[in-house]
Amino acid sequence: MILHKVKALKGEVTIPGDKSISHRAVMFGSLAEGLTEVTNFLQGADCLSTIEAFRQMGIEIENTPEKILIHGRGLHGLQAPSSVLDMGNSGTTTRLISGILAGQPFESTLTGDASIQKRPMRRIMEPLSMMGAAITSINGNDCAPLHIAGRPLHGIHYQSRVASAQVKSAVLLAGLYADGITQVTEPAISRNHTEIMLRYFGANLHTEDRTASVHPDPRLMGQKINVPGDISSAAYFMAAGLIVPGSEILIRNVGINPTRDGILRVCQQMGGNITLLNVKNDGEPVADLLVKSSSLHGITIEGDIIPTLIDELPVINIMAACAEGTTIIRDAAELKVKESNRIDVMVQYLSAMGCDIKGTDDGMIIKGGAPLHGTTVDSHLDHRIAMSFAIASLIADGETQIKGSDVVTISYPAFYQDLAGLTC
Ligand code: S3P
């Protein structure tokens, strides 16, 4: 993909469904009794990996343009897969499904692409083993491929060292199959879609401060779910609207769950003009966002806000490069174990564009304001890297080339078309 500077961005864009919520709708719908209907499902490669995995375990899932229909077979209705389950590029599928598979009366093997085979799985293997699971890394490197032999599980109170919704969800899902209450306490609150949606399907689950507790063996019943637009996808247009002079964009149907809205708070703290319109709450809060170009200034981003914007940090780097003054990002060591090492990759290519950026152990320091110029970026199989540099290209002189640009199909298949649709 070759991209160039634009004059301004104007118009409206409707954001596709939330990736985290789409995954969970398929998983919980499969474990529920009867029909689950999902509208605005994200037709991204990651969520399609989740659909495929549950189909391989005997769940009938109809994927039509209007809706997904999941014919759930109840908590104990999964069948042994006839072959290895392919997680593709999806960390969420891998970690959440491991929690489900840990308590099944059958064995399974999970694998995925080159990126997934480098991502740390010890973080779920440890708590699931504590619950009694037999889960091993086939290559002995604590990464996929994983072999899981289902076992009877017991409830634990797990103190997680990372604020990770994937870890929390894996343990809570295993807890559905345990012999007592399962609790997870995390160091800071991560996205809570599992808690909201499992309760909606009928689970006995409650949260208090940083601890979520689930009772075993609920009767989950099929539901209707309308997936809100993904704030992590909207983030690219928020950043673009703010940094490209003379822009005004209306971003429709964006999920603004407080465990995900750190990007909004950061944009506003940096001086960004974003107004929330038509705020609604149907289980998950949603709004339209009116974004107007703004002069941004650097800020420090650290502590409990980090899990609420973890996937948006690459595009926040782009905003920081365009902001006056210094932006410091701390407490974000998790960036090193995403689809790519997002500290190294952002430092490499933002430096190549002329930005003063330094990587640290747990984040980066960006001195903004220098003009950016085009360069060649390799996406490193990381959709958020490709989309972040597509946004940087909009204000960079010359040509920006993105290699491996089609990786955006993971979370936002129509990303480049939607961006082109706003370009003046
Ligand atoms: C996700 C949780 C986050 C996030 C990922 C999706 C989820 O990962 O980065 O894109 O749907 O639970 P961690 O749990 O590793 O923080």
Side-chain angles (χ1 to χ4, degrees):
M1 181 65 64
I2 294 177
L3 295 149
H4 294 99
K5 194 171 187 162
V6 297
K7 284 209 197 76
L9 296 170
K10 288 201 188 283
E12 284 187 28
V13 58
T14 302
I15 295 300
D18 186 278
K19 181 156 79 67
S20 295
I21 296 176
S22 295
H23 280 300
R24 286 160 172 81
V26 172
M27 293 182 182
F28 306 167
S30 298
L31 301 180
E33 292 169 36
L35 190 66
T36 289
E37 274 189 44
V38 188
T39 44
N40 201 35
F41 179 81
L42 174 64
Q43 296 283 350
D46 269 13
C47 300
L48 298 179
S49 296
T50 297
I51 289 187
E52 247 352 278
F54 281 88
R55 280 184 177 152
Q56 270 188 264
M57 292 191 285
I59 305 297
E60 187 194 339
I61 302 176
E62 296 172 68
N63 188 352
T64 71
E66 304 80 48
K67 54 176 92 153
I68 302 274
L69 297 174
I70 305 156
H71 300 265
R73 292 166 50 97
L75 199 60
H76 302 282
L78 298 180
Q79 292 165 2
S82 51
S83 56
V84 172
L85 296 169
D86 185 1
M87 307 287 104
N89 188 254
S90 177
T92 308
T93 314
T94 311
R95 298 200 177 107
L96 269 62
I97 216 169
S98 296
I100 295 171
L101 293 172
Q104 299 300 322
F106 54 75
E107 295 188 14
S108 46
T109 303
L110 314 180
T111 192
D113 70 4
S115 156
I116 214 76
Q117 292 192 35
K118 283 194 221 132
R119 300 190 60 190
M121 293 296 151
R122 167 82 6 220
R123 54 182 56 199
I124 51 143
M125 291 167 68
E126 180 187 279
L128 294 177
S129 302
M130 287 164 68
M131 296 177 79
I135 172 166
T136 47
S137 159
I138 290 176
N139 297 328
N141 59 356
D142 289 342
C143 298
L146 301 176
H147 179 262
I148 303 175
R151 292 278 188 270
L153 302 178
H154 39 264
I156 57 169
H157 184 167
Y158 187 61
Q159 305 279 345
S160 181
R161 286 184 295 277
V162 277
S164 159
Q166 294 179 359
V167 171
K168 172 174 63 178
S169 303
V171 177
L172 293 174
L173 288 167
L176 300 177
Y177 296 93
D179 61 1
I181 294 177
T182 296
Q183 295 183 294
V184 186
T185 300
E186 41 184 359
I189 296 174
S190 66
R191 65 192 66 191
N192 62 359
H193 307 302
T194 294
E195 295 91 308
I196 292 175
M197 203 191 290
L198 264 184
R199 219 179 288 129
Y200 182 57
F201 272 92
N204 183 352
L205 186 150
H206 60 271
T207 49
E208 216 183 303
D209 196 16
R210 289 174 292 106
T211 302
S213 313
V214 71
H215 289 254
D217 216 20
R219 192 156 175 217
L220 304 179
M221 301 307 288
Q223 299 295 337
K224 285 197 168 135
I225 293 173
N226 183 24
V227 180
D230 197 327
I231 191 167
S232 299
S233 299
Y236 301 100
F237 297 111
M238 289 184 216
L242 295 178
I243 66 175
V244 177
S247 299
E248 184 167 327
I249 309 177
L250 184 64
I251 314 175
R252 290 214 181 269
N253 188 37
V254 182
I256 52 164
N257 178 317
T259 63
R260 295 284 299 283
D261 71 351
I263 176 71
L264 273 174
R265 288 180 272 153
V266 158
C267 287
Q268 281 158 353
Q269 282 164 25
M270 292 180 85
N273 183 345
I274 301 189
T275 315
L276 270 62
L277 305 167
N278 300 321
V279 181
K280 285 181 266 188
N281 195 335
D282 186 13
E284 292 273 356
V286 176
D288 297 337
L289 308 178
L290 181 63
V291 183
K292 295 184 184 172
S293 50
S294 309
S295 318
L296 301 180
H297 55 80
I299 59 169
T300 296
I301 308 170
E302 62 186 345
D304 286 358
I305 198 171
I306 294 292
T308 73
L309 47 67
I310 189 72
D311 291 340
E312 290 66 77
L313 284 168
V315 80
I316 289 173
N317 280 207
I318 307 297
M319 292 198 298
C322 302
E324 279 309 315
T326 302
T327 294
I328 302 174
I329 297 168
R330 296 196 191 101
D331 304 321
E334 280 293 298
L335 287 176
K336 296 184 199 166
V337 292
K338 293 296 177 187
E339 285 84 330
S340 68
N341 179 331
R342 290 180 179 162
I343 296 183
D344 287 357
V345 176
M346 289 309 298
V347 169
Q348 180 184 350
Y349 296 122
L350 259 184
S351 307
M353 292 185 95
C355 172
D356 182 346
I357 174 170
K358 195 164 98 24
T360 65
D361 270 357
D362 66 348
M364 46 277 273
I365 300 169
I366 299 162
K367 293 193 179 127
L372 299 185
H373 47 80
T375 189
T376 299
V377 173
D378 188 314
S379 70
H380 289 251
L381 274 180
D382 187 338
H383 53 134
R384 305 216 184 273
I385 296 295
M387 291 189 276
S388 296
F389 283 98
I391 300 309
S393 79
L394 305 174
I395 42 106
D397 289 324
E399 179 177 295
T400 301
Q401 199 181 88
I402 304 178
K403 290 189 171 162
S405 56
D406 55 1
V407 70
V408 302
T409 54
I410 293 294
S411 62
Y412 197 160
F415 173 72
Y416 299 111
Q417 291 92 307
D418 284 359
L419 186 57
L422 296 169
T423 302
C424 300

